């Protein structure tokens, strides 16, 4: 089994020349503020690591700016559709701009949570049963009848979440059948398709993966302990409502199993450079895949930086090495 490992220390003089990077953050979606926080933190960490980093938004000035003053590589700290659905990366590919992160096609797959779950389940990864349906299905066939079938198939409690999106926006736990319609209506505010998933009781863990050139390696798992019991948007971004433990308080055997799952997900979905898988560890030690993030949060309180620190490494060093590797492939 794969053990979570420390990120190898950079060799002296690993950055062969002053690297110029552009950090993309912001975007025009509901995760803009989180993205700006991530981008600011990335730029500061890179500066401490000796990298010249310019923070830019993904707007109409981006492509002309990159053409006029080419960067060695771009770091994408955009969350939500702008940074994670693959469209921006496809444009950067067209422009010949190197960037850290997963390719466009892999991002499109990971962005679609039901599709990603289908792929990882086919690869032998355990994931809770689910059903994903567009708003039109409920409108055309009758919401009551469809919801009755969902409860009969998946039982209660249920997790209701948008079929795409991040930052736990729209995510709700539903324990009573009478609360399900309102949860669905709320969730449709974030997208046309809702995924309803069987609730799995256990410890939620964030499993970060990084590839610095020797293949993907799992960092120590971060245990998430929200006061409410559900790691929703409020629990994620309100100080004091969630405790984190890095490394997670699990046995060595479970930690190895979780690391193996995270690397497996990273590989079967065709991801690159870095990712963060969210999973549940049940009381019997089984690890259940929930979803994967191709642009994990990188703020001071985000879980990827916690995992890097738990591995005994510097976030700035890891980010600089990722950028250096991508820049080197284009020279």
């Amino acid at each position: 089994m794969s053990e979570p490992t420390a990120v190898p220390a950079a060799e002296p003089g690993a950055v062969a020349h002053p690297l110029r990077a552009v950090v993309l953050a912001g975007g025009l979606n509901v995760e803009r503020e989180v993205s700006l926080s991530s981008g600011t933190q990335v730029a500061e960490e890179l500066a401490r690591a000796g990298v010249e980093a310019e923070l830019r938004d993904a707007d109409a000035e981006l492509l002309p700016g990159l053409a006029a003053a080419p960067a060695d590589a771009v770091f994408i700290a955009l969350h939500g559709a702008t940074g994670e659905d693959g469209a921006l990366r496809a444009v950067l590919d067209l422009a010949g701009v190197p960037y850290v992160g997963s390719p466009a096609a892999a991002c499109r797959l990971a962005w679609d949570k039901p599709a990603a779950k289908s792929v990882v389940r086919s690869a032998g990864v355990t994931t809770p049963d689910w059903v994903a349906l567009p708003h039109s299905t409920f409108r055309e066939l009758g919401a009551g009848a469809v919801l009755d079938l969902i409860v009969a198939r998946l039982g209660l409690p249920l997790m209701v979440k948008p079929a795409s999106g991040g930052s736990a926006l729209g995510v709700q736990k539903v324990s009573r059948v009478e609360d399900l319609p309102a949860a669905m209506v709320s969730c449709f505010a974030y997208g046309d398709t809702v995924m309803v998933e069987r609730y799995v009781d256990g410890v939620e863990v964030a499993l970060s993966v990084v590839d610095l050139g020797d293949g993907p390696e799992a960092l120590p798992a971060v245990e998430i302990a929200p006061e409410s019991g559900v790691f929703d948007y409020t629990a994620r971004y309100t100080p004091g409502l969630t405790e984190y433990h890095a490394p997670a308080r699990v046995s060595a055997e479970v930690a190895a199993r979780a690391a193996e799952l995270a690397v497996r997900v990273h590989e079967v979905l065709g991801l690159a450079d870095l990712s963060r898988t969210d999973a549940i560890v049940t009381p019997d030690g089984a690890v259940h895949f929930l979803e994967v993030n191709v642009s994990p949060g990188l703020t001071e309180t985000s879980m990827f930086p916690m995992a890097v620190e738990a591995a005994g490494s510097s976030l700035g060093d890891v980010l600089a090495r990722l950028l250096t590797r991508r820049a080197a492939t284009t020279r």
Side-chain angles (χ1 to χ4, degrees):
M1 293 185 181
S2 300
E3 293 282 355
T5 61
V7 178
E11 295 294 331
V15 179
H17 67 88
L19 195 67
R20 181 178 179 275
V22 166
V23 179
L24 297 183
L28 297 177
N29 61 51
V30 292
E31 296 184 64
R32 176 177 175 81
E33 294 306 315
V34 178
S35 173
L36 288 171
S37 295
S38 284
T40 299
Q41 181 72 9
V42 168
E44 291 175 354
E45 291 287 345
L46 288 173
R48 281 192 280 270
V51 176
E52 179 189 344
E54 177 189 1
L55 191 63
R56 299 199 64 150
D57 210 329
D59 55 23
E61 301 300 317
L62 176 61
L63 293 176
L66 289 173
D72 291 307
V74 165
F75 191 96
I76 301 171
L78 290 157
H79 306 313
T82 309
E84 299 184 65
D85 68 0
L88 174 66
R89 297 166 198 244
V91 173
L92 292 176
D93 287 335
L94 289 172
V97 176
Y99 55 86
V100 170
S102 298
C107 289
R108 283 193 294 272
L109 177 57
W111 178 247
D112 187 330
K113 295 174 187 176
K117 280 168 67 76
S118 294
V119 171
V120 300
R121 173 173 280 182
S122 296
V125 175
T126 302
T127 188
D129 287 339
W130 77 96
V131 62
L133 296 169
H135 186 269
S136 60
T137 298
F138 294 91
R139 184 177 61 249
E140 293 166 4
L141 300 182
V146 175
L147 291 178
D148 286 345
L149 290 173
I150 291 174
V151 173
R153 172 70 177 83
L154 299 179
L156 289 168
L158 294 166
M159 292 301 294
V160 177
K161 59 184 71 174
S164 59
S167 295
L169 286 163
V171 174
Q172 295 183 58
K173 178 185 177 183
V174 175
S175 299
R176 305 186 310 162
V177 67
E178 55 264 36
D179 295 332
L180 187 54
M184 298 291 288
V185 170
S186 176
C187 199
F188 278 126
Y190 296 96
D192 182 62
T193 300
V194 165
M195 185 172 78
V196 183
E197 188 176 57
R198 177 175 288 155
Y199 176 78
V200 175
D201 190 30
V203 174
E204 186 162 355
V205 291
L207 309 169
S208 297
V209 172
V210 66
D211 184 351
L212 298 175
D214 296 321
E217 297 279 353
L219 302 178
V222 176
E223 178 184 341
I224 303 162
E227 187 179 89
S228 67
V230 179
F231 195 46
D232 56 13
Y233 185 86
T234 301
R236 189 175 295 234
Y237 295 111
T238 305
L241 292 188
T242 300
E243 289 185 0
Y244 302 92
H245 302 274
R249 299 170 298 178
V250 298
S251 69
E253 181 182 358
V254 170
R257 195 176 300 133
E260 185 176 29
L261 178 145
V263 171
R264 180 70 173 146
V265 167
H266 188 93
E267 291 176 334
V268 300
L269 294 178
L271 306 183
D273 296 339
L274 75 167
S275 68
R276 194 196 75 232
T277 286
D278 298 333
I280 294 286
V281 178
T282 55
D284 62 359
V287 186
H288 297 251
F289 167 80
L290 297 179
E291 62 186 76
V292 66
N293 301 268
V294 299
S295 185
L298 293 164
T299 70
E300 289 183 342
T301 57
S302 295
M303 291 159 284
F304 187 93
M306 291 181 197
V308 171
E309 183 178 352
S313 300
S314 157
L315 180 61
D317 173 59
V318 170
L319 300 180
R321 294 175 67 187
L322 288 170
L323 280 162
T324 301
R325 180 171 172 236
R326 284 300 164 201
T329 61
T330 62
R331 293 193 192 117

